[in-house]
Amino acid sequence: MNKQLSKILILICLIECFTSCNVVKRVADDEYLLTKNTVIVDGERDNTETINNLLYQKPNSKLPIIGNLRLNIYNLARPNIDSIIEKNLTKRPNKRENYEQLLSRKQLNKYIQSRKDFNAWLKKTGEAPVIVDINKTKRSAKRLQDYYINNGWFDVEASYEIKKNEKKRAEVEYYVKKGPSFIIDSITANIKSPIIDTLYKNIKKEALVRSNEQYKTSDFNQERDRITNELRNSGIYHFKSDYITFEIDTIGTNKKLNVDINIQNRTIRTPDSVRYEPFKVYTIRDVNIIADYTFENRGKPFQDSISYNGYKIYSYNKMRYRPKAISDAIFINPGDIFRDIDRTRTYRHLNELRTFKYPNIDYIENPDNTLSDTIRLTPLKKFSLGFSADVSQSNIQTVGFSLNPSLLIRNIFRGAETFEISAITSIGASKDGNRNNMDDPFFDINEYGIDLKLTIPRLFSPFYTEGFIPKYMSPSTRISLSTTSQTNIGLDKQTLSGILSYNWYPNKKVSNRLDVFNIQYVRNLNVDNYFGVYQNSFNTLNAISSSLNYNNGNDLLFPIQTDAFINDVLNNNTSLTPNDDGYKTVASINERKQRLTENNLIISSSYNFTNDERTNLFDNDFSIFRAKLELAGNLLSTSSRLLGLNKNTDGRYELFNVAYSQYIKTELDYIKHWDLGNKNVLAIRSFLGIAIPYGNSNNIPFAKSFFAGGPNDNRAWTAYSLGPGSSETTNEFNEANLKFSFSAEQRFNIFGNLNGALFVDAGNIWNVLDNVEDERATFNNFSSFEDIALGSGFGLRYDFSFFVFRFDVGFKTYDPSYQDQNRWFNDYNFSNAVYNIGINYPF
């Protein structure tokens, strides 16, 4: 390790020496390369990203170890490539003619063009040297001064100093003296329209501009927007933010500000004059809805019309929608005052129906201060077909082909419901050869399934829910039913699932999902092949058998001999005793086999809460919090006790000859991104999950357990290979019912669309409060946190705009599986690294 570290340090020194001499290659003698900016505010250095982003010039980007990579790439380009090529071709007589005879004129021109294109690529990929510009430096100082003025320091002074050296490099230091801050003293409102004055008094308590607070320009801008929104949501149809002005008096106030808020009367312009009138409150007189509007139908007479709850619904053809389905999506109500937010909610809710194109909403002003609203809806096609195909390869199949057709039916019950039918069918060739299908010796793997999904744009419930989940939260109900069947894949499974769920969104950031019922049934069809799938367990079992000469030294055959050997060991029919490690290993293998081969019946209810602070897809400064609570088996357990049902030999109640699962499970997930500027982002993620079996269960179903490792978890371990705890299991799939993980990642731009990352991943899984007795795999107390695995590494990401291709290399930094020796840096090398390929960011 020390030798490798020495070599790395020597390489770093050589790279640094080479790159430092090369960076000023394209800097003229009378120019200086900007190497550093320093901002000193009131004698103290301020290196926050907010201040640095105010500067017009920033030094060339640098990468760890490599340094100014993009600048060095740019310097490889020749500034006068055309003249260089021409000079090379004419420096000797007949050189051009000789090349043309050797390559042909066409090939020579292609060669010349390729050199020009490569030179252009170097310039585009690289980064031109940042030359100190005195004008941009002055503008930066002025921007710093404006920033502090806008934040309440009106007497601020900003200056700069350029420090040059003899190596054509320079640093710029900015000096800011803020002076005393200005505080808002009195606030006076001058409002012309009586109705505006009354409304303003009602909303003044929520003002963002307040006395005894420091002046901020942003507060005034936000206050203007707030007042405008409040008034436009209070019936003031013609109001705009331009009617609001602020006057600020600082003369003789001893650093105090007197603020006047002025709101003018409405301006009415005509071709001949301009007049001013007080604002008035507008109400909605009528709402007209055209349910099947198209450009071709405009002007034609309506054939059908319905009046419903004050709405007038028209149709050029026979009405295809129940009036309640449409009116539930409309928030503009006849008789109500005009409110901007009602129009916004109507747009959003109509789009969420997935039944109409983007709607058109028009207001017509009437002479009596009322508005007539016309909503034009253009239906989408009733049927939509989808089809996708995929070719894949995995660790169990040489090649696989899958087809996924789907059919979407809109407005299936005339209530704007959508019904989707999707299917999957796939075939593949297994790497282990055909096991059962003798008719087709090559494509021996197959899977097929169907998924039915009905979405209802309201809460489908016998109870009244409008009181606590109003329609502006876009409530919806989803009912789904699916089934799949697999052959020659693992233990061969048949699955059946059904879900009834409610979704609602209180605001743009928060989403809620309540799975009222989630029923899952999993049936294993090929249990006898367990040791064919989990061969590491078989090899361990076979090694113990051979050490006992159980089968005359021969390998065990499964399932008959393996099951017989397990029974003999557990029934004390061999030389192993319960205190022997071999006995404990066999018992653990048997416990895992029984759990993974048993059929599962899970009837659960769950609640999911998500608060997503992202404003758009390009937001790099946000947080996301997710929480989930799931309860399973309680209803069945209560019913079983009340009905006096008998338990099976394992002491568990059964339904349809399957012991149902009973547990409580919760998950907490938090993600935070900080935008550091210049395409630098610091991202963290923390996760805590626990599933506790009780009542009818003493363990968690495999599908509901946690695993660690993989491209989106601890990237120094492959998926399912980490844990549980400090155990040294060789299982193909390690899982447990308690998980903690934490990841931090520094993302930065290398050049163009190529980005890099440095990351640290920590976490592990443990068994807790279940039937696993291995001390190394269970969480006992806080000392178990010593078994948290630590991985670190780096990655490359290429942004294709519609997705990000990701390549990460993870190194095992702290490995808890090392029992009696140092756990740090034992396998910290490329030969033991884990290479991950993924799509999009891990979190």
Side-chain angles (χ1 to χ4, degrees):
M1 184 69 185
N2 291 332
K3 291 182 178 180
Q4 291 182 349
L5 182 60
S6 299
K7 293 179 181 179
I8 293 173
L9 292 175
I10 294 174
L11 178 61
I12 292 173
C13 293
L14 291 175
I15 293 174
E16 181 68 22
C17 181
F18 170 75
T19 55
S20 63
C21 297
N22 192 51
V23 292
V24 294
K25 182 178 180 180
R26 303 299 179 198
V27 179
D29 292 338
D30 58 344
E31 295 177 337
Y32 291 87
L33 178 71
L34 178 63
T35 59
K36 187 178 181 181
N37 283 324
T38 303
V39 180
I40 300 174
V41 180
D42 290 340
E44 296 184 1
R45 180 177 176 180
D46 190 334
N47 59 355
T48 61
E49 198 65 27
T50 300
I51 296 300
N52 288 330
N53 285 336
L54 297 174
L55 306 180
Y56 283 98
Q57 279 194 304
K58 299 177 183 178
N60 290 96
S61 58
K62 297 184 69 174
L63 297 175
I65 301 176
I66 302 176
N68 299 106
L69 175 62
R70 293 191 63 187
L71 175 56
N72 288 316
I73 292 176
Y74 181 90
N75 287 339
L76 293 175
R78 308 299 291 271
N80 50 346
I81 187 66
D82 292 338
S83 59
I84 291 174
I85 294 175
E86 184 64 26
K87 182 178 179 180
N88 287 335
L89 290 176
T90 58
K91 68 179 180 180
R92 293 200 310 266
N94 302 323
K95 185 175 181 179
R96 180 187 294 273
E97 289 76 8
N98 293 336
Y99 272 124
E100 291 178 354
Q101 292 179 1
L102 179 64
L103 301 175
S104 82
R105 177 175 296 180
K106 183 177 181 180
Q107 293 297 327
L108 177 60
N109 290 335
K110 286 185 176 181
Y111 166 74
I112 294 173
Q113 187 60 43
S114 67
R115 287 196 59 184
K116 293 179 180 179
D117 292 342
F118 179 70
N119 197 75
W121 179 86
L122 291 174
K123 288 185 176 181
K124 181 180 178 180
T125 305
E127 185 180 66
V130 178
I131 307 300
V132 175
D133 187 324
I134 186 63
N135 292 324
K136 291 182 178 180
T137 304
K138 291 179 180 178
R139 290 171 59 198
S140 295
K142 180 64 168 58
R143 180 183 276 187
L144 287 170
Q145 180 173 312
D146 292 341
Y147 169 80
Y148 284 100
I149 290 175
N150 287 327
N151 282 277
W153 288 279
F154 291 171
D155 296 333
V156 64
E157 295 180 0
S159 60
Y160 64 87
E161 180 182 358
I162 301 176
K163 296 184 176 181
K164 305 174 182 178
N165 62 29
E166 298 177 354
K167 298 180 180 180
K168 297 196 294 186
R169 294 169 172 83
E171 299 179 5
V172 179
E173 290 188 355
Y174 297 91
Y175 302 95
V176 177
K177 295 181 180 179
K178 294 187 299 184
S181 60
F182 280 66
I183 306 299
I184 298 174
D185 188 13
S186 64
I187 301 176
T188 305
N190 301 312
I191 301 174
K192 300 293 186 180
S193 299
I195 186 63
I196 301 296
D197 186 47
T198 300
L199 292 172
Y200 177 77
K201 291 177 181 177
N202 294 332
I203 64 174
K204 184 171 63 173
K205 59 181 178 296
E206 304 295 334
L208 301 177
V209 176
R210 300 181 180 182
S211 299
N212 300 319
E213 292 188 358
Q214 186 169 326
Y215 170 90
K216 286 186 179 180
T217 301
S218 60
D219 289 344
F220 283 77
N221 293 333
Q222 293 174 16
E223 175 67 0
R224 179 185 286 109
D225 293 338
R226 187 190 72 86
I227 295 173
T228 302
N229 291 333
E230 292 285 356
L231 295 179
R232 286 189 60 83
N233 287 323
S234 301
I236 313 301
Y237 175 66
H238 290 288
F239 196 84
K240 299 179 182 179
S241 60
D242 296 343
Y243 287 109
I244 304 174
T245 58
F246 298 99
E247 291 184 6
I248 300 174
D249 181 17
T250 61
I251 300 176
T253 59
N254 193 25
K255 312 303 179 184
K256 300 286 186 178
L257 301 178
N258 296 321
V259 178
D260 289 336
I261 302 176
N262 302 313
I263 303 180
Q264 303 298 323
N265 278 332
R266 177 189 170 194
T267 303
I268 302 176
R269 300 180 184 276
T270 64
D272 301 325
S273 63
V274 177
R275 69 179 191 273
Y276 302 93
E277 293 184 357
F279 284 98
K280 297 177 181 179
V281 174
Y282 279 70
T283 58
I284 306 298
R285 187 170 75 180
D286 47 40
V287 179
N288 304 303
I289 305 169
I290 303 176
D292 59 350
Y293 176 81
T294 62
F295 185 77
E296 293 78 11
N297 286 336
R298 71 192 189 286
K300 294 182 180 180
F302 297 112
Q303 296 185 15
D304 200 353
S305 64
I306 298 175
S307 294
Y308 180 80
N309 284 349
Y311 298 100
K312 296 178 181 178
I313 307 174
Y314 300 92
S315 177
Y316 291 103
N317 301 293
K318 183 179 179 179
M319 189 69 65
R320 294 164 48 189
Y321 306 92
R322 292 200 304 270
K324 179 175 173 54
I326 296 179
S327 63
D328 279 351
I330 307 299
F331 292 83
I332 305 169
N333 300 313
D336 288 355
I337 63 171
F338 163 81
R339 299 200 313 165
D340 243 0
I341 193 172
D342 291 339
R343 176 164 50 180
T344 302
R345 288 172 174 171
T346 300
Y347 275 126
R348 188 185 73 180
H349 209 75
L350 287 170
N351 284 327
E352 289 172 350
L353 293 179
R354 300 171 62 194
T355 302
F356 303 101
K357 296 180 181 178
Y358 194 78
N360 179 272
I361 302 176
D362 287 332
Y363 289 99
I364 297 177
E365 184 177 353
N366 302 311
D368 57 350
N369 297 329
T370 62
L371 299 171
S372 295
D373 183 32
T374 300
I375 302 175
R376 298 177 177 85
L377 305 177
T378 302
L380 295 169
K381 293 181 179 179
K382 187 175 183 64
F383 300 96
S384 294
L385 291 173
F387 184 84
S388 64
D390 186 37
V391 179
S392 61
Q393 188 273 342
S394 69
N395 60 340
I396 66 171
Q397 66 179 10
T398 304
V399 64
F401 303 92
S402 66
L403 301 176
N404 302 91
S406 64
L407 172 65
L408 178 66
I409 306 175
R410 297 182 176 89
N411 195 39
I412 186 170
F413 300 122
R414 299 182 64 240
E417 307 91 351
T418 57
F419 182 62
E420 188 173 3
I421 307 172
S422 58
I424 179 174
T425 176
S426 64
I427 57 174
S430 66
K431 292 185 176 181
D432 296 331
N434 184 282
R435 298 201 309 262
N436 300 316
N437 190 352
M438 299 303 296
D439 297 329
D440 189 344
F442 186 72
F443 290 111
D444 56 333
I445 293 178
N446 66 75
E447 179 180 8
Y448 56 89
I450 189 169
D451 185 11
L452 309 177
K453 188 183 300 179
L454 174 66
T455 302
I456 304 172
R458 53 194 167 275
L459 294 188
F460 186 71
S461 169
F463 308 105
Y464 179 75
T465 60
E466 178 71 18
F468 57 93
I469 304 180
K471 69 176 186 177
Y472 77 82
M473 294 185 182
S474 300
S476 64
T477 303
R478 178 168 294 179
I479 304 172
S480 65
L481 181 66
S482 63
T483 180
T484 61
S485 179
Q486 301 174 345
T487 302
N488 285 0
I489 302 177
L491 301 179
D492 298 348
K493 296 180 182 294
Q494 286 182 343
T495 64
L496 177 66
S497 66
I499 301 175
L500 169 63
S501 67
Y502 296 146
N503 298 269
W504 67 96
Y505 309 89
N507 53 57
K508 293 181 180 180
K509 298 178 180 180
V510 175
S511 63
N512 299 270
R513 171 173 172 165
L514 175 64
D515 286 357
V516 182
F517 295 108
N518 188 334
I519 304 173
Q520 301 178 57
Y521 171 68
V522 179
R523 180 187 177 193
N524 295 300
L525 303 177
N526 193 13
V527 176
D528 290 344
N529 190 48
Y530 176 81
F531 286 113
V533 176
Y534 300 97
Q535 294 187 0
N536 287 341
S537 296
F538 172 76
N539 293 334
T540 302
L541 190 71
N542 197 55
I544 297 174
S545 170
S546 298
S547 67
L548 300 176
N549 199 30
Y550 177 82
N551 193 30
N552 298 322
N554 298 319
D555 290 343
L556 298 173
L557 299 178
F558 58 85
I560 297 177
Q561 291 182 344
T562 51
D563 290 347
F565 176 64
I566 291 174
N567 290 332
D568 285 342
V569 171
L570 299 182
N571 291 324
N572 299 316
N573 294 328
T574 67
S575 59
L576 294 176
T577 66
N579 293 324
D580 294 332
D581 290 339
Y583 183 98
K584 294 178 181 179
T585 300
V586 173
S588 177
I589 291 174
N590 181 65
E591 178 275 328
R592 181 177 171 83
K593 176 177 179 292
Q594 295 300 322
R595 186 158 60 91
L596 297 187
T597 57
E598 70 175 358
N599 297 331
N600 294 132
L601 177 61
I602 305 172
I603 302 180
S604 65
S605 299
S606 65
Y607 170 70
N608 292 267
F609 171 85
T610 301
N611 184 31
D612 190 341
E613 298 288 339
R614 282 178 295 188
T615 56
N616 55 62
L617 292 176
F618 306 101
D619 188 1
N620 286 321
D621 200 332
F622 64 89
S623 64
I624 301 175
F625 174 72
R626 300 185 182 95
K628 178 180 180 181
L629 177 65
E630 181 178 359
L631 298 170
N634 294 329
L635 180 62
L636 291 178
S637 178
T638 302
S639 301
S640 299
R641 289 196 304 271
L642 292 176
L643 295 174
L645 299 181
N646 296 323
K647 296 183 178 181
N648 61 15
T649 56
D650 295 327
R652 303 175 66 186
Y653 292 112
E654 292 184 347
L655 182 65
F656 305 121
N657 296 322
V658 179
Y660 55 84
S661 300
Q662 188 174 8
Y663 60 86
I664 180 173
K665 180 180 181 181
T666 185
E667 298 177 7
L668 300 174
D669 190 6
Y670 179 73
I671 296 172
K672 174 63 179 175
H673 287 204
W674 289 274
D675 188 350
L676 305 180
N678 294 328
K679 297 184 178 181
N680 282 274
V681 176
L682 175 62
I684 64 169
R685 179 186 183 182
S686 58
F687 177 88
L688 176 64
I690 185 171
I692 302 175
Y694 63 95
N696 208 51
S697 297
N698 57 14
N699 57 57
I700 298 298
F702 180 83
K704 296 294 183 177
S705 58
F706 301 106
F707 72 92
N712 296 322
D713 195 71
N714 197 320
R715 285 161 279 186
W717 280 262
T718 57
Y720 292 97
S721 66
L722 175 59
S726 61
S727 58
E728 300 175 84
T729 62
T730 57
N731 295 324
E732 288 84 353
F733 302 101
N734 295 309
E735 37 75 41
N737 64 327
L738 171 65
K739 178 178 180 178
F740 168 76
S741 67
F742 178 85
S743 296
E745 186 170 280
Q746 175 70 50
R747 301 166 185 168
F748 51 88
N749 180 253
I750 299 177
F751 56 80
N753 293 324
L754 182 63
N755 301 302
L758 300 174
F759 61 82
V760 175
D761 299 324
N764 208 333
I765 55 174
W766 295 268
N767 289 93
V768 61
L769 301 176
D770 62 2
N771 59 352
V772 175
E773 299 179 355
D774 187 350
E775 289 291 327
R776 295 176 299 178
T778 57
F779 188 93
N780 301 306
N781 47 52
F782 286 109
S783 63
S784 297
F785 283 120
E786 296 177 356
D787 297 334
I788 291 179
L790 182 66
S792 58
F794 62 90
L796 297 174
R797 291 84 190 276
Y798 192 87
D799 190 349
F800 288 93
S801 70
F802 51 92
F803 74 92
V804 175
F805 177 81
R806 174 165 54 93
F807 174 74
D808 290 329
V809 183
F811 301 94
K812 295 178 178 62
T813 309
Y814 179 87
D815 190 346
S817 65
Y818 284 89
Q819 298 292 324
D820 302 320
Q821 54 183 301
N822 178 39
R823 295 177 172 182
W824 289 95
F825 301 106
N826 288 303
D827 297 314
Y828 201 88
N829 50 64
F830 283 98
S831 60
N832 288 296
V834 175
Y835 301 89
N836 300 280
I837 293 177
I839 300 298
N840 294 327
Y841 293 104
F843 53 87

